[in-house]
């Protein structure tokens, strides 16, 4: 199934398993979402459990918080990444802090689904990568699947979590296909995974850039035999630094790749931590590949903005030449 279908299947299973699970957001019901991720759910579970909301992101999140306090497990969709900012105050000032403010006595199990990233030719405010804002906020768990299998399991794990989870869905991977086995055993929600083993350099990515890094590793092997290891981070808060450090100690080199601008992005934190903890194993500085520190461009030139295979391989070349 595609990633969109896998998230749909995961939501369906969560709705079946727990009558307190709700899905809510703009056009998630009758339309099935602009990407059809929630297609058919309202028809099967009713308007009380799959709720078409007004166009009011702050209201959606405020309502979701209230429902969570009343014992429900709401899954609130933000229709596009750039629309999350009206709800930002609710997420970082209320949702992220209630558990700590109540000394652990109050749980707020809200999942915030956010399609994010570029590569689909969208208009302004539809191709943002705001994940670092939320990963920086204590009290939030932040995850991003890169493939249908993880999407199926991680959405269910996020819904079962008693902590609030921001669930970033890479929209340009919605149509990527893979076999999904509902009887399999998933990895823990916040564990990274080595998706390609290698010995010469480690590539760390998440969400939409994992496939780009896998393509770069295949190209590097075909061109001159360079053996690149690729790690799918999967979780942005908390980060599975142990998996990254173990890989870097083997390869001696690290390139971190994400769509978001490199300036103060996730790659900056990973580079700093690895430099602190693996200093004597590094044979080159940790390098970062990401978007430019500028507003997201018009769609006709977005391919110039987004990191691609060539930019990843250029960073690998610089690392290996050090």
């Amino acid at each position: 199934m595609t990633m969109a279908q896998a998230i749909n299947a995961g939501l369906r299973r969560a709705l079946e398993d727990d009558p307190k699970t709700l899905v809510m957001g703009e056009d998630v019901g009758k339309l099935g979402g602009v990407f059809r991720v929630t297609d058919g759910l309202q028809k099967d579970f009713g308007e009380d459990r799959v709720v078409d909301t007004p166009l009011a992101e702050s209201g959606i999140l405020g309502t979701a918080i209230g429902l969570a306090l009343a014992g429900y497990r709401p899954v609130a969709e933000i229709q596009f990444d750039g629309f999350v900012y009206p709800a930002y105050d609710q997420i970082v000032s209320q949702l992220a802090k209630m558990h700590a403010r109540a000394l652990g006595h109050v749980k707020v199990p809200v999942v915030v689904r956010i399609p994010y990233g570029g590569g689909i030719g969208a208009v302004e405010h539809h191709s943002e990568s705001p994940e670092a804002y939320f990963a920086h906020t204590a009290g939030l768990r932040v995850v991003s699947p890169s493939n249908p299998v993880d999407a199926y399991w991680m959405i269910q794990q996020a819904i079962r979590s008693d902590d609030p989870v921001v669930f970033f869905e890479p929209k340009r991977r919605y149509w990527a296909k893979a076999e999904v086995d509902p009887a399999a055993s998933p990895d823990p929600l916040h564990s990274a995974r080595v998706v390609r083993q290698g010995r010469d350099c480690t590539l760390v990515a998440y969400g939409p850039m994992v496939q780009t890094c896998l393509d770069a590793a295949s190209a590097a092997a075909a061109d001159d035999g360079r053996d690149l290891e690729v790690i799918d981070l999967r979780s942005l808060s908390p980060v599975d630094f142990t998996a990254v450090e173990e890989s870097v100690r083997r390869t001696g080199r690290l390139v971190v790749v994400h769509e978001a601008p490199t300036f103060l992005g996730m790659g900056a934190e990973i580079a700093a931590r690895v430099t602190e903890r693996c200093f004597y194993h590094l044979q080159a500085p940790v390098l970062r590949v990401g978007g430019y520190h500028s507003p997201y461009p018009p769609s006709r030139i977005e391919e110039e903005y987004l990191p691609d295979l060539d930019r990843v391989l250029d960073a690998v070349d610089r690392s290996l030449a050090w």
Side-chain angles (χ1 to χ4, degrees):
M1 59 180 70
T2 66
M3 180 183 285
Q5 292 169 335
I7 297 171
N8 180 287
L11 290 170
R12 178 177 294 277
R13 185 164 175 179
L15 287 163
E16 291 170 345
D17 290 346
D18 184 357
K20 291 289 189 179
T21 297
L22 308 174
V23 173
M24 55 193 297
E26 300 162 6
D27 297 319
V28 299
K30 289 182 174 61
L31 181 66
V34 293
F35 294 102
R36 303 301 185 264
V37 173
T38 54
D39 189 38
L41 296 181
Q42 188 180 80
K43 178 176 68 70
D44 293 339
F45 294 95
E47 296 183 5
D48 290 339
R49 297 192 61 201
V50 181
V51 184
D52 280 317
T53 67
L55 306 185
E57 285 78 13
S58 181
I60 293 169
L61 260 296
T63 302
I65 292 169
L67 285 165
L69 293 174
Y72 291 89
R73 292 184 178 272
V75 182
E77 178 185 294
I78 301 296
Q79 194 172 74
F80 280 92
D81 35 41
F83 300 171
V84 72
Y85 303 112
Y88 186 75
D89 181 40
Q90 293 279 11
I91 297 171
V92 303
S93 298
Q94 305 300 333
L95 184 61
K97 294 177 172 59
M98 283 189 169
H99 187 72
R101 191 182 298 147
L103 301 179
H105 295 293
V106 174
K107 295 180 174 62
V108 197
V110 175
V111 175
V112 185
R113 290 182 44 241
I114 307 178
Y116 81 117
I120 64 167
V123 296
E124 189 178 20
H125 305 308
H126 290 66
S127 300
E128 307 292 324
S129 294
E131 60 270 21
Y133 295 137
F134 299 99
H136 176 76
T137 302
L140 297 175
R141 296 180 181 269
V142 183
V143 299
S144 180
S146 67
N147 59 78
V149 176
D150 277 348
Y152 174 75
W153 289 111
M154 290 170 70
I155 189 62
Q156 296 178 67
Q157 293 168 315
I159 293 169
R160 287 195 297 267
S161 172
D162 286 332
D163 294 321
V165 179
V166 183
F167 194 88
F168 280 102
E169 301 170 8
K171 63 174 80 81
R172 68 162 149 160
R173 303 301 182 198
Y174 270 147
W175 301 277
K177 289 186 175 182
E179 290 189 13
V180 178
D181 180 5
S185 297
D187 291 338
L189 180 60
H190 299 294
S191 65
R193 182 188 301 122
V194 177
V195 292
R196 179 181 176 125
Q197 293 186 331
R199 63 178 182 275
D200 295 332
C201 181
T202 299
L203 303 179
V204 167
Y206 56 86
M209 285 289 104
V210 173
Q211 186 59 52
T212 302
C213 287
L214 286 170
D215 293 342
S218 296
D223 288 347
D224 49 21
R226 289 173 295 173
D227 193 15
L228 307 183
E229 182 149 299
V230 180
I231 294 179
D232 182 351
L233 210 55
R234 301 175 75 247
S235 177
L236 312 184
S237 182
V239 173
D240 185 359
F241 284 110
T242 299
V244 178
E245 292 162 20
E246 288 176 352
S247 177
V248 171
R249 290 189 180 103
R250 292 195 304 271
T251 66
R253 292 177 169 83
L254 174 62
V255 175
V256 188
V257 185
H258 51 63
E259 278 194 19
T262 55
F263 182 71
L264 292 180
M266 287 296 303
E269 177 64 23
I270 295 168
R273 290 290 188 103
V274 169
T275 300
E276 289 174 2
R277 299 180 183 184
C278 302
F279 183 79
Y280 292 106
H281 292 84
L282 286 169
Q283 299 179 44
V286 179
L287 300 179
R288 294 172 291 156
V289 178
Y292 302 111
H293 192 48
S294 66
Y296 198 88
S299 59
R300 66 181 178 275
I301 58 170
E302 69 177 346
E303 294 305 322
E304 301 299 323
Y305 174 89
L306 293 168
D308 60 8
L309 180 149
D310 289 335
R311 280 164 61 183
V312 173
L313 291 178
D314 176 71
V316 171
D317 287 343
R318 287 185 284 125
S319 179
L320 291 170
W322 195 267

